[in-house]
């Protein structure tokens, strides 16, 4: 799930940033009015806040994953120069990759 992906991020700063972003909904949602009536078509302020928060969490996670992959590529290149390629690819690189995540936990 998403928490495993966050835990696998290489930099503590990234993990802390993601955890703070996820936890931020707990401060925002209680003070957000529910919003419109069901019959006027308004989805309500809470729904808007949740959508905005979800986009923000995903945007940050995608950005960190992109940075992670760039670092992984640099590391793989360095390891391939220092070690036989099959050792680096089979025994080291898999441990540096991020797990995939779904929102079906």
């Amino acid at each position: 799930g998403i928490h495993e992906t966050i835990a696998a991020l290489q930099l503590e700063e990234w993990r802390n940033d993601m955890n703070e972003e996820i936890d931020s909904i707990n401060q925002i949602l209680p003070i957000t009015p529910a919003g419109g009536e069901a019959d006027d078509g308004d989805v309500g302020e809470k729904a808007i806040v949740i959508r905005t928060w979800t986009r923000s969490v995903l945007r940050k996670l995608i950005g960190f994953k992109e940075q992670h992959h760039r670092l992984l590529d640099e590391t793989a290149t360095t390891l391939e120069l220092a070690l036989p390629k099959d050792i680096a690819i089979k025994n080291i690189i898999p441990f540096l990759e991020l797990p995939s995540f779904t929102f079906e936990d």
Side-chain angles (χ1 to χ4, degrees), residues 1-16:
I2 194 168
H3 292 287
E4 290 83 12
T5 301
I6 292 169
L9 291 172
Q10 295 301 308
L11 297 179
E12 183 176 359
E13 178 183 341
W14 296 350
R15 291 190 300 271
N16 291 342

Side-chain angles (χ1 to χ4, degrees), residues 1 5 10 21 23 25 42 48 53-54 75 82 90 101 105:
T5 301
Q10 295 301 308
E21 187 69 31
D23 291 342
I25 195 69
D42 187 359
I48 293 168
W53 169 79
T54 301
T75 301
K90 291 179 184 175
F101 66 93
D105 287 347

Side-chain angles (χ1 to χ4, degrees), residues 24-53:
S24 70
I25 195 69
N26 295 324
Q27 282 73 47
I28 299 167
L29 210 52
I31 60 172
T32 303
E37 298 294 321
D39 60 348
D40 70 1
D42 187 359
V43 294
E45 290 182 54
K46 284 192 186 279
I48 293 168
V49 166
I50 291 169
R51 287 181 190 151
T52 303
W53 169 79

Side-chain angles (χ1 to χ4, degrees), residues 15-87:
R15 291 190 300 271
N16 291 342
D17 194 12
M18 285 305 307
N19 287 323
E20 286 174 17
E21 187 69 31
I22 289 172
D23 291 342
S24 70
I25 195 69
N26 295 324
Q27 282 73 47
I28 299 167
L29 210 52
I31 60 172
T32 303
E37 298 294 321
D39 60 348
D40 70 1
D42 187 359
V43 294
E45 290 182 54
K46 284 192 186 279
I48 293 168
V49 166
I50 291 169
R51 287 181 190 151
T52 303
W53 169 79
T54 301
R55 286 186 196 113
S56 177
V57 167
L58 289 174
R59 191 174 319 126
K60 278 191 176 198
L61 184 57
I62 290 166
F64 287 142
K65 285 184 79 169
E66 288 171 354
Q67 291 179 56
H68 176 90
H69 285 291
R70 279 194 297 273
L71 288 173
L72 183 60
D73 288 343
E74 291 173 16
T75 301
T77 300
T78 303
L79 287 172
E80 288 173 2
L81 294 173
L83 298 170
K85 189 172 186 172
D86 63 327
I87 291 175

